[in-house]
Amino acid sequence: MKTVLLTIVNLSIAISSMGLGVVKALAVRHQRELALKLTAAVLISAGLIFLLATPFVYRFVGEVTHSSNICALLVPSATLVCVGHAHALSQLWQPDRRDPALLRRTFWRWAPVYGGAIAAMAVLYFHAPLGPATPLRFAAAYAHVPEVVALHVIYWVTLILTIVVTVRECRKLSFPGRPGLVENLKKCVGWFALALGLDLVNVLLTAASMIGSVAGPRRLDGLAQSAWLATIASCIAANVALAALVLRSRRTERQDIRTLQTLHNRVVKSDVAVRKNPNVVLAPRWSLWAGFDTSAELTSLMAELEDGFGRLSPWWSPLPSLTLDRLVQAHRSEGNDWEEDWDLTAARAAATLLYAADSRGGGLPPLPPPARLTRLPGSDIEPHAWRQHLVRVASYGVHPLVTDAVDLASKVQVAAGSHEMS
């Protein structure tokens, strides 16, 4: 009964982890980010651990490879691979550690640790005199074999070292960005750190079963099997963390798409040429995946916005920004409540774009080169902050001060045109 239950639990976790990992791997086609690749690797390797630890799979692989306990080597090796990818993922979560040179140094520092441990474990395993298959009981059943003890010591030392380092990295993380998103990320990282910590419980219980099997009259097979419960709890916590990141990321992407769509309607769809051919940048391709992958839709929307910004450049006037600055100064001098997170650069960009869209839509001729802006406010934003900047620009498109600045600038432009005609 216990074996049947473990089989069901292991296969369920393996299917869910590997399934979610495949979803993340497919998303890499549209969003080529290292963090996404590492997340997919963590999930797939975690699913592989539970698949190989399933009793009938354990025995089947042993029969096929003519090494009855080969999974006792593959499972800890896959665990180190999984933890190694999680370690690298924690580096990418910290913005100041995403520098490629720093990542390469970290890789070359830790690759020998993981690779050396797996190689040493393989040598010890194939040198050990082993008997029948013992799924989930390998440590206790062969505790009298020195090579098996050495194998586990190497595995435990490497695992404990990397887990401690990774958990410390998670505790030191600082997340820039929106407050709500930051809180969600902190919760996810907390679950992730808990998942790694639970692996240490497995180490303690497995070590106790080995010591008890050597010192006592009976092997502590039950304690060795109980240690696997800690691994199950660890995987559940990790899946909760990574699945929550996926779901919250999709929810944030949907919110950003809705916000950007309002700016898209003014900047892109208002163009006469675009109305004739709305696919100005990326022609949509229908697929089941396109409906699921909000990141692809968001990327397409941002690309079309940037294309629309360029089409509006002949009407980029400094007048809306100057008008907005005066309105903001007057608003502050009157002692009115003011937004603490007010982004003047994004507001200037919104005013400039709305004014340009209205001028183009109203049939006004392009501004002469000396009278137009050569760069849109905020064009020097760092690439990693560009999406957040675009969202803020779109949100300021309906801000009263921005709309008032656009209206006043338009009136000034009309008055100046009338004056020139007279």
Side-chain angles (χ1 to χ4, degrees):
M1 184 65 183
K2 184 185 296 184
T3 301
V4 173
L5 182 60
L6 282 174
T7 298
I8 294 173
V9 172
N10 279 3
L11 289 180
S12 299
I13 295 177
I15 292 171
S16 62
S17 296
M18 297 180 78
L20 187 57
V22 169
V23 169
K24 301 297 285 184
L26 290 174
V28 174
R29 298 181 305 171
H30 304 289
Q31 191 177 354
R32 298 185 180 279
E33 293 184 358
L34 182 57
L36 199 59
K37 296 177 183 179
L38 290 174
T39 302
V42 168
L43 290 166
I44 292 174
S45 56
L48 186 62
I49 292 169
F50 282 85
L51 181 64
L52 294 174
T54 304
F56 81 89
V57 176
Y58 185 106
R59 292 189 174 92
F60 174 76
V61 174
E63 291 176 2
V64 170
T65 59
H66 303 290
S67 179
S68 57
N69 287 288
I70 188 64
C71 286
L73 170 65
L74 297 178
V75 167
S77 299
T79 301
L80 290 181
V81 170
C82 182
V83 173
H85 283 89
H87 181 194
L89 189 60
S90 69
Q91 300 287 309
L92 291 179
W93 283 342
Q94 187 67 20
D96 60 358
R97 300 191 180 184
R98 294 175 186 169
D99 180 68
L102 182 59
L103 291 175
R104 282 193 295 270
R105 287 198 298 270
T106 302
F107 171 80
W108 288 113
R109 186 185 307 121
W110 284 96
V113 176
Y114 294 108
I118 292 174
M121 288 161 54
V123 170
L124 289 168
Y125 171 83
F126 287 109
H127 189 266
L130 303 176
T134 55
L136 302 180
R137 297 180 292 108
F138 180 76
Y142 294 100
H144 61 283
V145 179
E147 291 87 347
V148 172
V149 175
L151 182 155
H152 281 86
V153 169
I154 293 173
Y155 169 57
W156 292 337
V157 170
T158 307
L159 187 65
I160 291 172
L161 174 64
T162 54
I163 286 177
V164 169
V165 171
T166 304
V167 171
R168 285 182 60 190
E169 294 291 339
C170 290
R171 290 177 60 87
K172 293 190 298 183
L173 290 178
S174 61
F175 300 99
R178 301 172 230 178
L181 182 60
V182 169
E183 290 302 317
N184 288 336
L185 288 173
K186 287 182 177 179
K187 291 178 182 178
C188 293
V189 171
W191 278 98
F192 194 71
L194 175 63
L196 293 173
L198 286 170
D199 283 330
L200 299 181
V201 178
N202 176 285
V203 171
L204 293 175
L205 292 176
T206 305
S209 70
M210 291 189 72
I211 295 172
S213 296
V214 172
R218 298 177 57 190
R219 294 201 308 267
L220 300 181
D221 292 356
L223 186 59
Q225 289 180 324
S226 299
W228 190 248
L229 296 177
T231 302
I232 292 174
S234 171
C235 188
I236 291 174
N239 279 349
V240 168
L242 295 176
L245 280 175
V246 173
L247 294 176
R248 284 168 177 150
S249 175
R250 280 172 54 81
R251 183 175 62 187
T252 303
E253 286 174 348
R254 289 195 189 98
Q255 292 173 347
D256 289 351
I257 287 172
R258 287 193 294 269
T259 302
L260 291 174
Q261 192 64 52
T262 58
L263 184 62
H264 184 273
N265 293 339
R266 293 288 297 273
V267 171
V268 176
K269 289 188 176 180
S270 61
D271 192 344
V272 175
V274 173
R275 284 201 295 268
K276 294 179 181 178
N277 180 19
N279 304 322
V280 293
V281 177
L282 303 176
R285 293 178 295 174
W286 185 90
S287 67
L288 292 175
W289 181 254
F292 177 81
D293 189 9
T294 53
S295 62
E297 183 181 356
L298 181 60
T299 301
S300 175
L301 190 60
M302 291 171 61
E304 291 190 357
L305 279 171
E306 292 183 53
D307 182 86
F309 295 169
R311 290 172 180 267
L312 286 174
S313 59
W315 290 272
W316 288 353
S317 170
L319 188 57
S321 292
L322 294 174
T323 307
L324 178 64
D325 290 346
R326 292 174 182 172
L327 290 177
V328 169
Q329 185 177 3
H331 197 74
R332 285 174 171 166
S333 63
E334 292 173 1
N336 296 320
D337 293 335
W338 193 252
E339 298 93 335
E340 293 182 0
D341 60 344
W342 174 260
D343 188 340
L344 184 57
T345 301
R348 286 172 175 168
T352 302
L353 290 169
L354 295 183
Y355 177 85
D358 290 346
S359 298
R360 180 188 61 188
L364 296 179
L367 296 170
R372 71 177 71 157
L373 293 175
T374 58
R375 299 175 63 190
L376 189 68
S379 57
D380 57 346
I381 295 292
E382 293 293 331
H384 70 270
W386 182 244
R387 170 182 158 189
Q388 185 176 355
H389 172 70
L390 281 184
V391 172
R392 296 195 72 122
V393 170
S395 64
Y396 280 126
V398 295
H399 195 283
L401 285 181
V402 173
T403 56
D404 287 347
V406 173
D407 291 341
L408 289 174
S410 299
K411 292 176 181 178
V412 171
Q413 181 66 31
V414 170
S418 301
H419 179 70
E420 290 178 0
M421 290 179 61
S422 60

